Amino acid sequence: MADKKTVTIKQIGSPIRRPESQRKILIGLGLNKMHKVVTRQDTPEVRGAIAKIAHLVEVID
């Protein structure tokens, strides 16, 4: 079985004064504090979530 690809995401923006939907996307990705870094599987769903909050997160490779 091939290794699953992953993506590392870092939160760089605050969810304060952001729409509730953007806050829920951050929580869904496992981000809730500034500068927190998480690793997730690289799936179309995760890429779509990153695209919706691109101004709040940074993809680290």
Side-chain angles (χ1 to χ4, degrees):
M1 186 171 167
D3 290 330
K4 304 263 184 185
K5 294 197 176 199
T6 60
V7 60
T8 304
I9 312 159
K10 179 179 180 180
Q11 183 177 344
I12 58 169
S14 173
I16 296 173
R17 296 180 60 183
R18 299 290 177 189
E20 187 67 25
S21 62
Q22 292 180 3
R23 292 181 193 182
K24 288 182 179 181
I25 291 171
L26 280 172
I27 292 168
L29 288 173
L31 299 168
N32 58 355
K33 296 186 187 281
M34 292 289 293
H35 308 292
K36 186 171 181 179
V37 178
V38 295
T39 302
R40 296 286 172 250
Q41 255 187 327
D42 193 4
T43 63
E45 293 84 2
V46 171
R47 287 291 178 170
I50 292 170
K52 286 189 173 195
I53 56 167
H55 56 288
L56 299 177
V57 297
E58 175 182 84
V59 177
I60 304 170
D61 285 328

